[in-house]
Amino acid sequence: MTFPARLPAARVENSMDAPPLCWGIMGPGWIASRFAESVRKYSRQQLVAVGSRSVSRSKEFARRYGIPDAYGSYEELAAAPGVDIIYIATTHNQHCECAVLALNAGKHVLVEKPLAVNALEAARVARVALEQDLFAAEALWTVFLPKFDVVRQILEQNMLGEIRSAVADYGEHFEPGHRIFDPALAGGPLLDLGTYPLSFLLSVLGQADRIMAVGSKHPSGVDGQISALMTSDAGVHGSMSTNLYNFTPTTATVVGTRGVLTIERLFNMPGPLHVRFSDNTVLRYEEAHGRHVEGLHYEAADVARCIVRGETETRKRPLEASIQTLEAADRIRQQLAHGPPL
């Protein structure tokens, strides 16, 4: 049995080479700040407007990032002239309504993950985007990173042999008062941290034909921790865990009959990975460790290229994949005795 001599190279183009679009930001919070820093530093995308329910908050964000127009409502931003696309970075429970608002106003949208709080809402976003013939995507920034292009190639080329299982986790510590503890804001780890391991497992399995989930409550009323085991019809196993109590290894592993892929800590952020083949040969892909500022520009650049080409979705995160992830999240929630999906 022979094994590969090298791993594929990342095919992701320089973000500076992407055609610039005029962006509006809806919801000037923490992740919007990281997005603004990233696209200003690593791309030619233009931030031209920001909207919030507080005009003073919008003006402060605009001042900080050199954005010319600041609005005191989401409706004003959606109607603003000169805006090509709106990056929606509101709290989870507002993603669907804000996306629909922007799409109906004729704006393309990039919606911070999760695309919506359940599959029904996500399908609504997809339907409105189709009706308006506009671009829409979930800003799951991980899948746009160069290392995940390498992961896709490893799987597409069957370098690991027959896939048998995949494992991923993500836990993090949060200070009291964080929005993740608020049930009214669709808090809890599943739609936040859990989106990363859940979407990764589904990208390997293709579809979870069976899901078995357990969880426990946090005193705030949201889930404190969740674990899920899933299987495909082909017999591939997937295992994930997520919690809001403290930091976990945050790695991802895919086990095949020829080799094992390990995406090193923190698997959802810029960084290295390696494959250990059955003959104990190890091949590494090196990528500098980074966080949001070093990585969010890749999603903006990919989206800009898609829109200029006249495409209404990105192949790196099709709307169908976003809906599929939320369908699995809905099934997990139902098993945790929370009743119907959010």
Side-chain angles (χ1 to χ4, degrees):
M1 183 182 294
T2 59
F3 296 93
R6 63 183 62 85
L7 295 181
R11 301 165 298 187
V12 176
E13 300 173 70
N14 190 322
S15 294
M16 283 291 185
D17 296 333
L21 298 182
C22 294
W23 292 72
I25 293 179
M26 190 176 286
W30 183 89
I31 191 62
S33 293
R34 306 291 84 74
F35 181 83
E37 292 170 19
S38 186
V39 298
R40 289 183 67 200
K41 184 174 182 179
Y42 295 104
S43 81
R44 295 185 297 129
Q45 304 305 308
Q46 302 298 306
L47 304 179
V48 300
V50 58
S52 169
R53 290 176 175 171
S54 164
V55 69
S56 61
R57 193 164 176 241
S58 286
K59 287 181 176 179
E60 169 56 25
F61 190 94
R63 181 200 62 76
R64 197 183 326 150
Y65 296 107
I67 299 173
D69 294 323
Y71 298 97
S73 74
Y74 299 149
E75 291 78 10
E76 287 178 285
L77 174 61
V83 173
D84 300 314
I85 179 169
I86 294 179
Y87 170 63
I88 295 171
T90 58
T91 52
H92 298 343
N93 58 310
Q94 300 178 82
H95 284 184
C96 176
E97 290 302 327
C98 288
V100 169
L101 171 68
L103 288 164
N104 282 332
K107 304 295 194 294
H108 303 289
V109 295
L110 177 63
V111 186
E112 189 48 60
K113 60 89 185 156
L115 182 63
V117 297
N118 57 48
L120 188 63
E121 283 193 356
R124 182 185 174 205
V125 173
R127 183 175 65 252
V128 174
L130 180 64
E131 291 169 352
Q132 299 292 344
D133 193 28
L134 291 168
F135 180 94
E138 178 186 27
L140 184 61
W141 68 294
T142 297
V143 302
F144 298 90
L145 297 175
K147 74 176 183 184
F148 269 84
D149 183 61
V150 175
V151 170
R152 278 188 290 272
Q153 292 181 74
I154 289 171
L155 297 177
E156 289 167 358
Q157 296 174 21
N158 297 318
M159 293 181 69
L160 304 180
E162 186 178 353
I163 303 301
R164 302 315 308 156
S165 65
V167 180
D169 76 282
Y170 190 0
E172 195 171 315
H173 172 75
F174 295 91
E175 293 297 324
H178 192 278
R179 59 164 178 78
I180 204 168
F181 297 110
D182 191 343
L185 300 180
L190 182 59
L191 295 179
D192 202 306
L193 310 181
T195 298
Y196 294 108
L198 184 56
S199 62
F200 176 75
L201 294 184
L202 292 173
S203 73
V204 176
L205 272 67
Q207 181 174 336
D209 296 292
R210 186 182 181 197
I211 296 178
M212 295 154 283
V214 294
S216 59
K217 284 286 191 181
H218 184 271
S220 65
V222 302
D223 293 303
Q225 58 184 353
I226 297 169
S227 298
L229 177 66
M230 56 198 72
T231 61
S232 70
D233 275 345
V236 183
H237 288 198
S239 174
M240 65 155 283
S241 62
T242 183
N243 81 79
L244 47 66
Y245 294 110
N246 225 315
F247 299 95
T248 66
T250 314
T251 58
T253 303
V254 181
V255 178
T257 55
R258 286 168 49 85
V260 176
L261 163 68
T262 301
I263 309 176
E264 299 165 24
R265 189 179 194 276
L266 299 161
F267 86 87
N268 61 313
M269 298 188 183
L273 59 86
H274 68 267
V275 176
R276 180 179 293 276
F277 293 98
S278 300
D279 66 349
N280 278 328
T281 299
V282 177
L283 298 180
R284 291 187 60 82
Y285 167 77
E286 298 293 351
E287 183 175 279
H289 286 283
R291 298 187 71 85
H292 296 81
V293 172
E294 290 76 29
L296 288 172
H297 60 94
Y298 289 111
E299 63 184 7
D302 181 81
V303 167
R305 291 187 179 99
C306 289
I307 290 172
V308 169
R309 289 194 298 258
E311 299 168 1
T312 56
E313 292 193 47
T314 171
R315 284 169 284 183
K316 293 180 180 176
R317 187 61 175 169
L319 291 172
E320 180 182 0
S322 300
I323 294 170
Q324 182 188 55
T325 299
L326 284 164
E327 287 173 342
D330 288 348
R331 292 166 65 186
I332 289 171
R333 290 191 67 259
Q334 287 175 319
Q335 291 190 33
L336 301 182
H338 300 338
L342 291 170

